[in-house]
Amino acid sequence: MTEEITPKWAPSGSGFELGTDGPRVIMVGVDGSDSSWRAAAYAAGLARRQNALLAIVYVQPYMVMAGAYGADVQGVTQEMAEDLAREIHDHAERVKDVYSTRWKFLTRRGDPYLGLSEAADELKADGVVVGASEKTAHRLIGSVAVRLVKAGRWPVTVVP
């Protein structure tokens, strides 16, 4: 008769697996800001060293009031997503001989926090990396990074 042994530090029913070593998916949120590119570089290094999949996620924000002024918000955010995808692909091509990292690029639409949270859950991300907010107002009302940390569902690294 075989008895399953769960380590004391693993919650019962947690699905703890013996034999798994290291993260399988490192997810990074990008928005085109300098801090998000630093976060992407940091996450790429983590993924490379751990032989994990690097999932790069861009959440296209809804700008409710912009539509009232006649701005083509959907077209602009779609164009931003395409530009980011192109930049990521170009960078990956430039450094492909330096190191090999498996990666994929995903886009979502809506609130950045909700989009990143849903993507992390769907991907079963072992870690989430984001850049620190560069906006002063976020110090008062909270940034996406702070909200992700407070959710407490994944390890979150905030890159300055």
Side-chain angles (χ1 to χ4, degrees):
M1 180 170 159
T2 321
E3 186 177 325
E4 187 176 321
I5 300 172
T6 303
K8 289 182 181 181
W9 46 268
S12 63
S14 68
F16 176 76
E17 283 183 43
L18 292 175
T20 348
D21 190 21
R24 288 186 285 248
V25 178
I26 302 290
M27 189 188 93
V28 61
V30 295
D31 63 4
S33 67
D34 288 341
S35 67
S36 78
W37 289 123
R38 286 190 297 271
Y42 183 83
L46 287 175
R48 178 184 55 83
R49 287 187 296 278
Q50 297 290 333
N51 195 28
L53 172 70
L54 174 64
I56 304 163
V57 180
Y58 169 64
V59 180
Q60 300 175 28
Y62 284 132
M63 296 179 185
V64 179
M65 290 307 291
Y69 297 109
D72 178 19
V73 176
Q74 185 173 347
V76 170
T77 57
Q78 181 63 37
E79 190 176 309
M80 280 181 66
E82 290 168 5
D83 287 346
L84 286 170
R86 200 172 13 263
E87 268 188 69
I88 291 165
H89 186 268
D90 291 347
H91 178 71
E93 283 298 311
R94 283 194 303 271
V95 298
K96 72 179 179 185
D97 296 329
V98 177
Y99 60 83
S100 176
T101 301
R102 296 175 301 124
W103 63 276
K104 69 176 165 178
F105 179 72
L106 307 166
T107 61
R108 299 279 198 259
R109 228 178 228 162
D111 175 63
Y113 164 74
L114 292 175
L116 291 175
S117 296
E118 289 170 3
D121 287 341
E122 288 170 23
L123 293 163
K124 294 182 178 25
D126 295 299
V128 176
V129 181
V130 290
S133 177
E134 296 177 345
K135 298 177 182 173
T136 308
H138 285 169
R139 292 188 186 129
L140 301 174
I141 59 174
S143 66
V144 172
V146 169
R147 292 171 68 192
L148 289 167
V149 170
K150 285 183 177 181
R153 297 197 321 246
W154 331 265
V156 178
T157 302
V158 181
V159 177

